[in-house]
Amino acid sequence: GAVVSQHPSWVICKSGTSVKIECRSLDFQATTMFWYRQFPKQSLMLMATSNEGSKATYEQGVEKDKFLINHASLTLSTLTVTSAHPEDSSFYICSARQGANIQYFGAGTRLSVL
Amino acid sequence: SQQGEEDPQALSIQEGENATMNCSYKTSINNLQWYRQNSGRGLVHLILIRSNEREKHSGRLRVTLDTSKKSSSLLITASRAADTASYFCASYTGGGNKLTFGTGTQLKVEL
């Protein structure tokens, strides 16, 4: 199947700093990518849909100024957690859709904010 | 919001036994998918079943779909320790653009 690379896999930062997470589709072009958040032992919650060349579409309750998404090319979307606080600590996962149905997921980024 | 509720939430079995997970969903679907997630990792697509299909097989996996009951089941036969993971059902909602996941079943297969 297709490959989606997510980097970094783990990041620790101080409260108040910003953290950028990259999501790349390695062997296909993705006009649409997705960002999910997952708390321990829970399911994935969609945060936003990242659209190449246009603004991201955020889910209800997700602060767009807090979670900045940029999808500047057909193979790269970035999620920046701005002014991170301990409550932002979570597992963030990106995915890219190839074709009509199947999504391919990155390995996830574990964010710990001290 | 979750599209699907899965049960059981957790399942522990012995290697060689079969594991069955159930998913109930809320809205009409074109297809339903099952994904697997190893601890602390991303998700891997396992199988897709279309709304006009009732059963589908892939290796040791068997998926059923009952659209009248808005439910699906995933059966893993002859389980192995390596099958230990979380399993999620998922379907597209929001006009077909958003993949929404069920609550998941944590499967543990013991030697």
Side-chain angles (χ1 to χ4, degrees):
Chain A
V3 178
V4 173
S5 173
Q6 187 172 341
H7 178 81
S9 58
W10 188 31
V11 58
I12 301 174
C13 70
K14 293 182 178 180
S15 185
T17 60
S18 295
V19 174
K20 179 185 283 189
I21 303 170
E22 292 187 348
C23 181
R24 295 179 185 272
S25 57
L26 297 186
D27 50 1
F28 67 102
Q29 294 183 329
T31 55
T32 305
M33 292 185 175
F34 304 87
W35 288 95
Y36 295 84
R37 184 172 181 174
Q38 185 179 32
F39 291 104
K41 298 189 184 301
Q42 294 190 23
S43 188
L44 281 74
M45 298 298 296
L46 180 65
M47 298 174 65
T49 302
S50 173
N51 305 298
E52 188 268 335
S54 65
K55 292 182 180 180
T57 305
Y58 289 82
E59 294 301 300
Q60 191 173 10
V62 178
E63 299 176 59
K64 57 185 66 178
D65 294 331
K66 174 75 168 176
F67 299 100
L68 298 180
I69 291 173
N70 183 276
H71 195 154
S73 77
L74 287 171
T75 58
L76 173 64
S77 175
T78 61
L79 168 68
T80 301
V81 183
T82 62
S83 187
H85 288 92
E87 58 266 29
D88 299 323
S89 297
S90 191
F91 192 58
Y92 294 88
I93 308 175
C94 71
S95 71
R97 187 170 177 177
Q98 185 185 42
N101 294 305
I102 297 173
Q103 287 192 21
Y104 295 92
F105 287 81
T109 297
R110 184 160 305 284
L111 171 63
S112 297
V113 185
L114 304 177
Chain B
S1 63
Q2 299 304 130
Q3 161 70 326
E5 296 287 330
E6 292 182 58
D7 78 272
Q9 289 187 346
L11 179 61
S12 182
I13 59 175
Q14 297 294 312
E15 198 170 50
E17 295 179 336
N18 296 341
T20 299
M21 295 158 250
N22 303 295
C23 166
S24 59
Y25 57 91
K26 300 174 183 175
T27 62
S28 296
I29 59 171
N30 292 323
N31 61 69
L32 187 132
Q33 304 178 43
W34 285 87
Y35 286 80
R36 166 195 167 128
Q37 182 183 31
N38 283 28
S39 181
R41 305 289 293 173
L43 278 71
V44 175
H45 180 264
L46 294 176
I47 193 167
L48 179 153
I49 185 167
R50 302 187 189 284
S51 60
N52 61 354
E53 297 176 309
R54 291 297 168 259
E55 187 171 310
K56 196 165 183 178
H57 297 250
S58 177
R60 292 185 296 113
L61 305 180
R62 190 191 107 187
V63 170
T64 63
L65 179 64
D66 187 336
T67 53
S68 66
K69 295 181 180 178
K70 288 187 167 62
S71 68
S72 175
S73 68
L74 170 67
L75 168 68
I76 303 174
T77 60
S79 64
R80 305 166 182 168
D83 294 329
T84 295
S86 292
Y87 293 82
F88 296 92
C89 64
S91 60
Y92 281 101
T93 59
N97 294 320
K98 305 176 189 179
L99 188 62
T100 307
F101 290 85
T103 50
T105 294
Q106 293 184 48
L107 173 65
K108 183 176 182 181
V109 181
E110 299 186 78
L111 294 170

